[in-house]
Amino acid sequence: MNKLLFITIFLCAIWFFAKFFRTKKKDNGYNKDTGHYNKGLNVIEKKSSLRKEANTFSNPYKFIQFFTLDQEAIKWCANFLGIDEKSLTSILRNIHTQYNHFYLKKRRGGHRAISAPKSELLSIQKAIYHQILLPVDIHPAATGFRPGISIADNARPHLGHNQVLKTDIRHFFGSIKRRKVIKAFIALGYQNNISKVLAELCCLVRSLPQGAPTSPALSNIIAYEMDKRLQDLSNEYHLTYTRYADDLTFSGDSIDPQILLPLIDQILSLDRFKLKDIKTRFIRKNRRKIITGVSISSGDKLTIPRAKKRELRKNIHFILTKGLVEHQRYIGSTDPLYLKRIIGYLSYWRSIEPDNNYVLESMTALRKLEEKTLFLKNI
């Protein structure tokens, strides 16, 4: 009897380990191997990942979705968007092939999947953005993806507050499904059949793709009611609220995260959003406060974080003393646009701290170096 029991346990153990290692071989997520990562481009493109991505974005219901679209609505959209009806029909029939898929490395680890529309669909989405989405009013607390509004405008309202609560929405674009997009176009005054066509042109695998020019504007429009509820919640607790894309920020002089976070989560759940708990930060008085990359720690003015200032000052010093080529060789950079990126960040620094003389002097010196470098290349 004991021998039979031993054999049964042994066979079960073999089955379990065989199943475990077979499962491990499957690629159930992003490929974390960064051996072929090109630091100059900050992009990962791997054939195996792209093949998997193509399978992920192949919608088994694509033909069913297409044939539910009204041909008269397609014709109307073609005229409205200035595209040939047959071309639009072809795009709608094969919407899943109209994107290039790649990955970007996140600043704090991991990778972000980007689905960038190809040229023909990109032109259509830009037309939808400019003609339909851009004029729509969004909630004033939403500061991301708005012309003339920057991350500094997202941080400025929180100046002078002792406490800050920061949190994120998990899979923000991916949580906005096609049915919500259809409802958004209907709310803007478009007929149901036309709204379905417009939504199909803005969605991929029945949700907003990260990389389409229409996704940010649609997310702000669709999140209006959520922003309104979060603003009402903030007013009730005498707090200030802003949202930059999926980043939610609350500030005030007395915040109890144990009370506030469940209420925020409850409001988000009404629109099928979820909090990303791992990104939640509660910052108390006299601690360093960074909001969307901008420091409000001084209490009365916006500044660039000290660590970023030190890094930038060091790079600028060596560029001007050792030379651009030698500096890039020393840090291992092959980026042909390295100098332009440094000048660009200085321009951003100046927009945050317009009275900083060091920034102005450095920009002048680096631009002279840029002109000299271009002159020598053209000789």
Side-chain angles (χ1 to χ4, degrees):
M1 184 66 181
N2 290 339
K3 186 176 182 181
L4 181 61
L5 180 62
F6 175 80
I7 293 172
T8 303
I9 293 173
F10 180 75
L11 290 174
C12 287
I14 293 175
W15 175 84
F16 173 81
F17 282 109
K19 185 176 179 63
F20 175 78
F21 285 110
R22 190 162 59 246
T23 303
K24 289 288 284 183
K25 289 180 180 179
K26 294 179 181 178
D27 184 7
N28 291 325
Y30 297 144
N31 191 331
K32 300 297 184 181
D33 178 18
T34 58
H36 302 289
Y37 174 55
N38 186 328
K39 293 182 179 179
L41 296 177
N42 199 35
V43 172
I44 294 178
E45 292 187 350
K46 299 182 181 180
K47 291 183 179 179
S48 60
S49 296
L50 292 178
R51 281 197 296 268
K52 174 185 176 294
E53 193 69 16
N55 292 333
T56 301
F57 286 98
S58 293
N59 187 352
Y61 300 103
K62 58 184 178 291
F63 295 113
I64 296 174
Q65 288 181 5
F66 171 76
F67 286 124
T68 60
L69 300 179
D70 182 70
Q71 194 62 41
E72 285 300 313
I74 295 174
K75 182 178 180 180
W76 186 94
C77 288
N79 291 332
F80 179 75
L81 297 170
I83 184 173
D84 179 71
E85 184 180 344
K86 287 185 178 180
S87 298
L88 184 58
T89 299
S90 177
I91 289 171
L92 287 165
R93 188 184 296 275
N94 303 285
I95 198 74
H96 63 297
T97 67
Q98 301 298 314
Y99 289 85
N100 291 315
H101 310 292
F102 57 91
Y103 298 103
L104 290 180
K105 186 177 181 181
K106 293 182 180 179
R107 187 163 53 95
R108 296 184 178 180
H111 306 96
R112 177 177 289 110
I114 303 297
S115 298
K118 296 178 182 178
S119 58
E120 199 168 14
L121 179 59
L122 178 62
S123 298
I124 292 171
Q125 290 179 345
K126 283 182 176 180
I128 292 173
Y129 171 74
H130 287 288
Q131 297 183 52
I132 298 176
L133 305 177
L134 184 59
V136 179
D137 290 332
I138 61 176
H139 197 278
T143 58
F145 316 119
R146 295 177 61 182
I149 303 295
S150 70
I151 57 176
D153 297 297
N154 183 65
R156 190 172 288 109
H158 303 284
L159 274 171
H161 294 173
N162 291 328
Q163 299 177 342
V164 173
L165 178 66
K166 302 193 298 180
T167 189
D168 273 23
I169 299 175
R170 184 187 301 274
H171 305 310
F172 183 50
F173 286 163
S175 297
I176 299 176
K177 302 302 180 183
R178 183 173 175 270
R179 63 181 179 277
K180 286 186 180 180
V181 180
I182 294 173
K183 289 180 180 178
F185 282 115
I186 291 173
L188 294 176
Y190 295 91
Q191 295 178 7
N192 183 68
N193 57 348
I194 291 172
S195 296
K196 285 183 178 180
V197 176
L198 294 172
E200 192 73 9
L201 291 168
C202 297
C203 291
L204 178 63
V205 195
R206 297 181 174 181
S207 63
L208 290 184
Q210 187 156 340
T214 46
S215 293
L218 279 166
S219 70
N220 278 338
I221 293 168
I222 291 168
Y224 185 94
E225 288 301 321
M226 180 193 74
D227 287 329
K228 185 176 182 298
R229 294 186 191 104
L230 291 173
Q231 183 66 70
D232 291 341
L233 175 66
S234 300
N235 293 342
E236 182 180 349
Y237 284 88
H238 307 289
L239 304 176
T240 297
Y241 161 68
T242 61
R243 178 179 62 82
Y244 193 92
D246 58 349
D247 294 328
L248 311 180
T249 306
F250 301 83
S251 66
D253 295 324
S254 180
I255 299 177
D256 187 342
Q258 301 299 320
I259 293 176
L260 196 62
L261 282 171
L263 295 174
I264 295 171
D265 196 33
Q266 185 178 353
I267 289 173
L268 263 59
S269 67
L270 295 174
D271 290 291
R272 304 289 181 90
F273 291 124
K274 292 182 179 179
L275 285 177
K276 189 186 294 183
D277 295 333
I278 195 172
K279 297 290 289 291
T280 299
R281 297 286 184 275
F282 175 52
I283 309 171
R284 301 177 187 276
K285 185 179 179 180
N286 299 326
R287 300 300 296 266
R288 187 171 62 109
K289 301 179 181 68
I290 309 295
I291 299 174
T292 50
V294 180
S295 174
I296 62 166
S297 299
S298 71
D300 58 355
K301 64 178 181 178
L302 302 178
T303 61
I304 298 297
R306 290 180 182 177
K308 191 63 184 180
K309 286 183 179 181
R310 285 195 297 268
E311 178 191 351
L312 207 54
R313 284 177 183 273
K314 179 183 69 175
N315 287 326
I316 292 170
H317 170 74
F318 285 117
I319 288 171
L320 295 177
T321 57
K322 304 295 183 182
L324 177 63
V325 174
E326 182 62 30
H327 174 62
Q328 283 196 253
R329 184 185 297 118
Y330 178 76
I331 64 175
S333 170
T334 58
D335 185 359
L337 300 177
Y338 179 79
L339 185 58
K340 284 187 177 295
R341 296 186 202 283
I342 296 290
I343 294 173
Y345 201 91
L346 280 172
S347 298
Y348 164 69
W349 186 354
R350 190 184 182 194
S351 72
I352 303 295
E353 302 177 29
D355 300 327
N356 192 313
N357 290 328
Y358 168 80
V359 176
L360 184 59
E361 292 169 2
S362 298
M363 285 178 66
T364 302
L366 291 183
R367 280 173 175 160
K368 286 182 179 179
L369 178 61
E370 185 181 32
E371 291 174 2
K372 181 179 178 181
T373 303
L374 288 173
F375 176 75
L376 292 175
K377 284 182 177 179
N378 291 329
I379 292 179

